[in-house]
Amino acid sequence: MLIDEAKIKITAGRGGNGIVAFDKIKMSLGPTGGRGGNGGSVIFVGVEDVFALNKFRHKKIYLAPNGQDGRNNRSDGPAGKDLILSVPIGTVIHDLITQKDQEITEIGQEILIAKGGIGGRGNFYFRSANNTSPKKYEEGKPGKKLELKLELRLIADIGLIGLPSAGKSSLLNELTAAHAKVGEYHFTTLEPNLGAMGKIILADIPGLIEGAFQGKGLGIKFLRHIQRTKTLIHCLSLESNNLWHNYQTIRQELEKYNPELIKKKELILLTKSDLLKKDELHKKIKELRKKLKNSQKILTVSIYDWEALEELQSIIKNNNHSLVLKSK
Ligand SMILES: Nc1nc2c(ncn2[C@@H]2O[C@H](COP(=O)(O)OP(=O)(O)OP(=O)(O)O)[C@@H](O)[C@H]2O)c(=O)[nH]1
Ligand SMILES: [Mg+2]
């Protein structure tokens, strides 16, 4: 199961206290109390593994270790170790109190999200000409505490969308080395699948239906994964006798979710062309073209038609020079 959203609480470590100490042999040599170590910080780091949010499903509270108190002989207490939490690239870290968002977009990228508290100074640091035996020290400061929502927005170049059973997963499997589950029944795909065509990442999004926006079917929560794609491949099964209606159904759900989605570059892909005779196919394309703006690109494909699959692959490649992932 792909966990793409998690709420967690994190607390950075507290700084250790400074201490009061004096040279034991000769009191007159003065103060020697060291500084407390800094508390550990909480740091997020980007990784390729899209399942990296799964660990937050059960464990919700994360504490970085505290710094230790200062030591005698002017020694500082050891600092608390930073707590490193790995999250998939494409994770938005949302601060639930300040509403501020930060994003992890690259593998290895680090974001210091909660800084550990500073250790307090020991009495060694308070010595002066007037006071050669100070008993003053500072307490360590608390680490930052945050409530966060982590939200994964897959970084795919291309999103495959459409009604259930339009053939999205079958296509993903043909175009990439993915092994997405394919089934005759609706809603075979319950979570987005990813596949790579060279450096181009394709996301197969679970089927949408009319009313998905209100939670019908699997709802629209997976649409967040195509917010960053530049191109959508809208799959329409040629089994249907009303392609235009099917097309509009999906477009409306996209628009209700985010009007920006329907401004994305779109390729209309008529799937399962092997099920129709040539004249039937042409009739359906003609009908659809009448309703669409002329500029709209329509392509037909079947998973049993190698030529069409190759053409689709080359169109995707040629249209995606600017979409190639930086981190790949
Ligand atoms: N004849 C024919 N059948 C196809 C083709 N592509 C997919 N199918 C069949 O259509 C059915 C649905 O395919 P899927 O790939 O699971 O469809 P999907 O769009 O991923 O469906 P959901 O995950 O439920 O949204 C399966 O029985 C496939 O074998 C095709 O090109 N030709
Ligand atoms: Mg599917």
Side-chain angles (χ1 to χ4, degrees):
M1 179 148 129
L2 175 75
I3 299 296
D4 58 2
E5 206 179 282
K7 279 187 189 166
I8 58 167
K9 290 182 179 174
I10 56 160
T11 307
R14 189 183 178 90
N17 296 329
I19 61 157
V20 176
F22 293 96
D23 189 299
K24 280 194 181 124
I25 306 160
K26 272 189 174 177
M27 187 79 159
S28 60
L29 280 181
T32 57
R35 189 194 287 267
N38 293 337
S41 298
V42 181
I43 295 169
F44 282 80
V45 63
V47 293
E48 197 169 14
D49 177 14
V50 291
F51 291 98
L53 290 188
N54 285 29
K55 61 178 165 289
F56 300 112
R57 193 162 155 229
H58 298 297
K59 188 167 159 42
K60 306 268 181 205
I61 294 177
Y62 291 85
L63 309 171
N66 295 334
Q68 292 182 27
D69 290 348
R71 305 274 158 96
N72 203 340
N73 296 325
R74 306 175 207 167
S75 297
D76 293 347
K81 238 179 135 190
D82 291 338
L83 176 64
I84 313 271
L85 296 174
S86 55
V87 295
I89 48 168
T91 299
V92 175
I93 304 162
H94 177 72
D95 184 322
L96 287 165
I97 310 293
T98 64
Q99 306 297 327
K100 200 178 136 200
D101 283 341
Q102 293 187 76
E103 293 181 28
I104 294 271
T105 53
E106 286 186 39
I107 294 166
Q109 180 192 348
E110 289 189 357
I111 296 184
L112 194 160
I113 214 87
K115 202 165 166 49
I118 291 179
R121 287 177 293 175
N123 67 340
F124 172 73
Y125 296 90
F126 293 99
R127 73 198 187 285
S128 67
N130 295 340
N131 187 358
T132 53
S133 314
K135 297 222 169 88
K136 192 174 165 184
Y137 71 100
E138 285 172 336
E139 289 190 347
K141 297 270 189 294
K144 220 171 159 189
K145 227 174 165 168
L146 296 171
E147 287 179 33
L148 304 172
K149 184 168 95 176
L150 307 176
E151 196 184 276
L152 175 62
R153 295 179 190 168
L154 294 176
I155 303 183
D157 302 295
I158 296 196
L160 290 163
I161 52 163
L163 291 169
S165 305
K168 303 176 292 296
S169 304
S170 305
L171 267 175
L172 183 81
N173 292 347
E174 294 302 325
L175 296 172
T176 73
H179 297 287
K181 195 172 162 194
V182 166
E184 282 171 28
Y185 50 93
H186 286 2
F187 302 118
T188 307
T189 304
L190 299 173
E191 283 137 16
N193 296 304
L194 287 187
M197 222 183 79
K199 288 181 173 176
I200 301 169
I201 307 293
L202 277 75
D204 158 32
I205 303 298
L208 295 165
I209 55 172
E210 189 172 351
F213 186 73
Q214 278 125 12
K216 294 235 176 89
L218 296 177
I220 43 158
K221 68 182 187 124
F222 299 111
L223 285 181
R224 81 162 75 102
H225 297 302
I226 53 168
Q227 274 174 305
R228 296 185 179 176
T229 61
K230 292 218 175 117
T231 305
L232 299 177
I233 297 184
H234 190 151
C235 300
L236 293 169
S237 168
L238 283 162
E239 289 163 305
S240 164
N241 286 324
N242 201 341
L243 296 175
W244 172 241
H245 176 260
N246 295 355
Y247 175 75
Q248 279 189 310
T249 301
I250 298 292
R251 297 288 288 177
Q252 279 163 12
E253 296 303 320
L254 294 183
E255 188 170 22
K256 282 182 209 153
Y257 179 74
N258 179 353
E260 292 301 311
L261 291 186
I262 58 165
K263 293 185 197 154
K264 285 185 191 288
K265 213 154 72 168
E266 184 196 51
L267 171 70
I268 296 175
L269 190 63
L270 307 181
T271 61
K272 313 191 190 183
S273 61
D274 57 286
L275 297 176
L276 296 190
K277 292 195 189 104
K278 263 211 166 118
D279 53 337
E280 286 172 318
L281 180 66
H282 288 152
K283 199 172 143 230
K284 283 195 176 181
I285 295 175
K286 215 172 144 190
E287 275 170 19
L288 181 63
R289 217 180 259 296
K290 247 195 265 168
K291 307 265 187 179
L292 289 164
K293 289 176 213 129
N294 291 331
S295 57
Q296 208 89 8
K297 204 166 178 78
I298 302 181
L299 214 74
T300 57
V301 78
S302 155
I303 55 168
Y304 306 111
D305 181 346
W306 281 105
E307 261 178 46
L309 285 168
E310 270 177 17
E311 190 188 349
L312 177 60
Q313 268 180 331
S314 81
I315 286 177
I316 291 172
K317 280 182 189 155
N318 293 333
N319 278 288
N320 273 281
H321 293 310
S322 57
L323 307 180
V324 171
L325 263 185
K326 268 186 238 139
S327 51
K328 288 270 157 180

